[in-house]
Amino acid sequence: MDPTSRSTVTPFSELLRRRAHRTHGSAASTGFAEDLLQGRCDVADYADLLGQYAFVHAALERAAERMADHPVVASFVTPGFTRMPAIGADLEYLVGPDWSELVCPSPATSAYVRRINEVAATSPGGFVAHHFVRSLGDLCGGRATGQLLAECFGFETNGVLFFLVDQVADPGEFERTYRTQLDAAPWDDEERARVLAEVELAAALDDALVAEVGAARPPRPGGVHGEPSDDPLRSVTA
């Protein structure tokens, strides 16, 4: 047979990437993300977003601890990649030492966390789907995002530790290993279909969280979300 005529089997990790990409990027979430990275938000807007992600990552990390001995999940749970220490340090810097008392989950965040808890209790593959969306989403482009935010708000490292992922020495190698593990996971076709569907749902829940934070921004003078402000930070609330 002519080698060029052979069908190419798409790796499962690539199917997951495409499914997440297909879902990610609602107009509302993309608009807020662009405003944030182009300096059209203030520090409080950014703190609001990071505060919501605190609930998501806390739920993921609690689930990861419970599932650390699972024969499939264990390969994806990397202790050095836990994000809550960095998120907590950033929010302490942005909001204050009592940030955990001031931050409240929005409805979209509550739905996101509820779904993570559901699949973590019933579906190891579903948990991996959520872990995939957040972990590779944070890692891919994270350093560049952190640098842009640091420039926008005049930060050095405090305030953007979440994006630096310093515990991962080689992000490219981490990503390659993660994708290899996805491809090697012993899931049958039915389970793979469930994981693909859960990745799509996870990406949609993430979009809803970002969009809701963007919609909650108070109006700026002139009806736009203007330059980063030196005003005191407002509380991170729902």
Side-chain angles (χ1 to χ4, degrees):
M1 179 183 294
D2 182 352
T4 60
S5 67
R6 294 175 183 170
S7 61
T8 301
V9 177
T10 303
F12 185 58
S13 58
E14 175 61 17
L15 294 177
L16 289 170
R17 187 195 68 80
R18 293 177 185 177
R19 187 67 66 92
H21 182 72
R22 183 176 76 179
T23 306
H24 259 315
S26 69
S29 65
T30 300
F32 175 60
E34 289 178 350
D35 283 351
L36 183 63
L37 294 177
Q38 294 178 14
R40 294 194 294 266
C41 296
D42 65 20
V43 177
D45 297 326
Y46 166 56
D48 285 342
L49 178 62
L50 194 60
Q52 297 307 307
Y53 275 137
F55 293 101
V56 173
H57 280 273
L60 275 173
E61 291 177 19
R62 285 193 301 268
E65 289 177 4
R66 294 195 301 270
M67 304 177 76
D69 294 330
H70 187 277
V72 176
V73 174
S75 63
F76 297 97
V77 177
T78 305
F81 196 74
T82 56
R83 308 308 306 132
M84 279 307 297
I87 292 175
D90 284 340
L91 287 171
E92 183 169 348
Y93 176 75
L94 295 167
V95 180
D98 57 349
W99 69 266
S100 62
E101 300 174 10
L102 299 172
V103 177
C104 298
S106 72
T109 299
S110 295
Y112 197 167
V113 169
R114 186 162 55 249
R115 184 57 184 173
I116 290 170
N117 292 336
E118 288 172 357
V119 297
T122 61
S123 171
F127 166 76
V128 171
H130 284 269
H131 191 271
F132 164 78
V133 169
R134 284 262 40 93
S135 61
L136 291 195
D138 294 338
L139 187 64
C140 298
R143 285 182 170 85
T145 299
Q147 290 171 356
L148 284 171
L149 291 172
E151 292 173 4
C152 285
F153 300 127
F155 298 154
E156 292 183 2
T157 56
N158 288 330
V160 290
L161 293 170
F162 170 60
F163 292 99
L164 300 182
V165 198
D166 287 340
Q167 303 96 320
V168 178
D170 187 340
E173 181 60 28
F174 180 95
E175 181 181 353
R176 285 188 292 273
T177 299
Y178 197 106
R179 293 185 184 280
T180 297
Q181 291 166 343
L182 287 170
D183 295 335
W187 295 319
D188 59 21
D189 290 345
E190 185 177 350
E191 182 63 11
R192 285 191 169 199
R194 284 195 290 265
V195 174
L196 283 165
E198 196 64 36
V199 160
E200 189 165 356
L201 176 59
L205 289 167
D206 184 68
D207 265 5
L209 181 157
V210 175
E212 194 167 71
V213 172
R217 285 185 291 171
R220 303 289 187 260
V224 298
H225 297 275
E227 297 296 323
S229 170
D230 292 329
D231 293 340
L233 299 180
R234 58 186 173 90
S235 297
V236 183
T237 57

